[in-house]
Amino acid sequence: AQVFASTAMGIAIFDVHGTVVEANEALATILGHEEMPKELFAEADAVALASACARMIASSVDTDRREWQLTRNNGDTVWANVVLSVLRGSDGLPKFHVALIEDVTEQRMLQEWLRHQSLTDLLTGLPNRAAFTDKLESALATGEPYTLGYLDVDSLTIVNDGLGHVAGDAVLVEVARRLRVVLPDAVVARVGGDEFVVLIQGSPDVAALAAMIDEELSEPVYLEGAGVAVSTSIGFVHAAGPGADPAVVLRRAHSTLRRAETGGKRQWAIYDREADVADRARFARIAAMPGAFENGEISVEYAPVSWVSGTRAFLEASLRWDSSRHDDVVAYADALGLASRVGRMVLHDACSRGEPVLIRLSRDQSRDPDLAAHVRTTLRACAFPASSLFLALDVRAMPDGEENLEVLHDMDVHVLLHEFGGGFAGLSTVDRNAIWGIRLAQPPSERLARQGLALMVPLLRSAGVHVIGGPGDPDELRALGVDLVVSR
């Protein structure tokens, strides 16, 4: 009796017909009554509880646990954990039912809030990636056609760095608002820092859709006195279920976005299966590079570089990874941030041979601020003379790498530029620096370009710069006027 009266848990005793015989004050409080009423439960709840009692007797089940949605005296909802038990007499027959009722409304509200937080982007109020994935899966399961657009806000970093992250956040909030305005029937979500997705039913004209989004976002929003407008790059993919995998559709849209961004800002593209297959194969190859590097699968090959007279001048070191040749391997290394490690490996291998050697550096290696220090350490460790080392820096890394050109030249290393195709910037770099030589880029096939190259080679040689060509037709290279030829 003391427990019945003092516990915070509601207790109700029913007869075998489901009628309340007795209840405690705690239950009355849970249900919103200031004192014990004649009718404790709302009519619908009373009927439901009586039915549960009847089912328990009919099925010989003595205990039933479930979460009930009960109605308070004022009409509000109370969530409760209810344990219904059958009390039997000495003869084993049911005599009463007892309900233990615990108010879990606050816990339920907390769970709903946490669930909402886990599925909502806190900055914009849009669904986040997890919530959008669920919506996408549900949409594709219908079998109807949908169009997914993956958007990246262009130049948000400029706003963050120029006006501050508060302004950048304000831009993202405004982008979210405008996307909902221009696409009222679409599912709009924020799935990353400056990335949004839109899911549109059907197969609309994506060119018109991209133009409509761009026009909506191009109107400036004024932040700290500055009229800020943004654009987006968009990757579109058409999808139809029910066999479509949401993760695959999202990946395709994101891959298409990245392909669109290679064309600059404010670009859009639509999914291309062949391009996607090629990109996936390349990215998978790049992703596997760290393991290949650690396992010694990347090797260094050497080819002779000879004067046009036929006398060998030095060797050229090149990287090889299965079927991938030097240019691809160094590009993969740059993409993964492995440029410095791979460069040190090539440098050490080449200097250990004790022969004059030419090494072509990647773009990242060419502008690496630690390049001169790595070269100095390797030369000392291998007891290799600096004058026997020919380092070709990528002309596309200039002018960022010009300090390396100067420092390496002061160390008595022969410095060169490779991937040289002429142009004012390349010629200016040659004119400003003590360049020993240049290694020509792959000769163009067009007549006018080849004529320009033929005019440029004598110009470079007249400036005291050695010109290296090849691999290619030796007679054609000699006719071009090069000083040295790379053999393969």
Side-chain angles (χ1 to χ4, degrees):
Q2 184 175 352
V3 171
F4 184 83
S6 62
T7 182
M9 182 174 290
I11 303 175
I13 302 175
F14 304 86
D15 62 20
V16 292
H17 302 295
T19 302
V20 177
V21 175
E22 192 172 357
N24 65 353
E25 293 293 337
L27 181 55
T29 301
I30 290 172
L31 296 175
H33 301 288
E34 294 183 0
E35 56 185 32
M36 187 64 67
K38 183 178 180 181
E39 298 295 336
L40 183 64
F41 292 99
E43 182 178 356
D45 295 340
V47 171
L49 286 164
S51 298
C53 293
R55 285 195 301 272
M56 291 175 69
I57 293 175
S59 59
S60 300
V61 174
D62 282 0
T63 304
D64 180 78
R65 300 172 183 268
R66 67 176 70 183
E67 189 174 70
W68 288 75
Q69 189 176 353
L70 302 175
T71 304
R72 281 197 170 102
N73 185 41
N74 61 2
D76 290 344
T77 295
V78 57
W79 288 93
N81 284 333
V82 179
V83 180
L84 272 174
S85 302
V86 177
L87 296 183
R88 299 180 181 273
S90 58
D91 56 3
L93 297 177
K95 301 296 183 182
F96 299 96
H97 287 84
V98 175
L100 302 180
I101 300 175
E102 179 185 14
D103 184 356
V104 294
T105 304
E106 290 187 0
Q107 294 94 312
R108 177 75 179 228
M109 292 175 63
L110 177 60
Q111 289 174 356
E112 288 297 319
W113 181 82
L114 291 173
R115 179 179 177 277
H116 175 77
Q117 295 292 91
S118 69
L119 297 175
T120 303
D121 174 56
L122 300 182
L123 177 64
T124 63
L126 294 176
N128 62 13
R129 178 180 289 273
F132 180 78
T133 302
D134 289 342
K135 294 177 184 293
L136 177 60
E137 185 174 7
S138 299
L140 295 177
T142 65
E144 298 179 5
Y146 280 85
T147 298
L148 175 64
Y150 208 119
L151 295 78
D152 188 20
V153 180
D154 297 329
S155 304
L156 185 67
T157 301
I158 295 176
V159 177
N160 285 332
D161 292 346
L163 300 178
H165 285 271
V166 172
D169 288 347
V171 168
L172 291 173
V173 171
E174 183 63 15
V175 169
R177 187 191 69 79
R178 293 187 185 187
L179 287 176
R180 284 181 292 199
V181 168
V182 75
L183 300 169
D185 299 324
V187 177
V188 182
R190 182 185 177 210
V191 293
D194 56 359
E195 295 181 340
F196 295 81
V197 286
V198 294
L199 182 63
I200 304 161
Q201 190 169 15
S203 302
D205 181 347
V206 293
L209 186 59
M212 184 170 61
I213 292 172
D214 182 66
E215 182 179 357
E216 182 68 26
L217 296 180
S218 63
E219 184 69 24
V221 54
Y222 287 87
L223 304 169
E224 300 182 9
V228 177
V230 296
S231 62
T232 59
S233 297
I234 314 174
F236 290 104
V237 60
H238 295 306
D245 185 335
V248 171
V249 173
L250 266 173
R251 186 202 60 75
R252 288 176 176 174
H254 187 264
S255 174
T256 305
L257 165 65
R258 294 303 171 222
R259 182 161 51 84
E261 289 181 321
T262 60
K265 308 293 186 184
R266 192 171 279 168
Q267 302 296 317
W268 65 270
I270 193 163
Y271 174 71
D272 181 289
R273 185 179 181 279
E274 291 185 3
D276 183 53
V277 170
D279 286 345
R280 287 198 72 188
R282 183 168 60 89
F283 290 141
R285 182 75 166 160
I286 294 173
M289 187 176 186
F293 182 75
E294 291 295 331
N295 295 328
E297 298 174 25
I298 299 175
S299 59
V300 184
E301 297 180 336
Y302 295 89
V305 179
S306 303
W307 297 100
V308 288
S309 63
T311 305
R312 195 172 83 173
F314 42 78
L315 298 174
E316 182 182 59
S318 297
L319 287 165
R320 182 72 175 267
W321 176 24
D322 296 334
S323 60
S324 300
R325 306 305 291 262
H326 183 85
D327 290 343
D328 287 335
V329 176
V330 296
Y332 298 163
D334 280 359
L336 281 174
L338 287 174
S340 181
R341 293 176 63 191
V342 171
R344 291 198 300 271
M345 184 266 284
V346 177
L347 187 63
H348 188 274
D349 190 277
C351 293
S352 297
R353 295 176 64 92
E355 299 181 65
V357 65
L358 166 67
I359 302 173
R360 283 181 292 145
L361 303 181
S362 72
R363 293 193 199 190
D364 285 357
Q365 292 167 359
S366 299
R367 54 189 172 220
D368 183 355
D370 296 324
L371 174 62
H374 294 323
V375 171
R376 188 177 289 110
T377 300
T378 304
L379 292 176
R380 187 181 301 116
C382 298
F384 189 72
S387 58
S388 294
L389 179 60
F390 296 77
L391 277 185
L393 280 65
D394 195 320
V395 70
R396 296 167 295 183
M398 303 299 133
D400 296 340
E402 284 198 51
E403 184 176 349
N404 282 333
L405 288 174
E406 296 174 9
V407 175
L408 291 169
H409 175 265
D410 291 343
M411 292 168 53
D412 291 332
V413 173
H414 293 97
V415 291
L416 300 87
L417 294 173
H418 72 96
E419 297 305 315
F420 198 92
F424 294 139
L427 292 171
S428 296
T429 302
V430 171
D431 197 39
R432 288 194 301 267
N433 297 275
I435 302 296
W436 184 87
I438 64 101
R439 193 183 190 286
L440 297 174
Q442 186 66 31
S445 58
E446 291 77 16
R447 178 185 58 82
L448 191 60
R450 295 182 75 86
Q451 288 179 351
L453 182 63
L455 293 172
M456 182 184 66
V457 170
L459 178 65
L460 290 167
R461 294 185 67 193
S462 68
V465 177
H466 298 86
V467 180
I468 305 174
D473 185 334
D475 294 334
E476 185 177 346
L477 291 170
R478 290 190 189 95
L480 191 60
V482 301
D483 298 289
L484 301 106
V485 177
V486 180
S487 302
R488 277 290 184 268

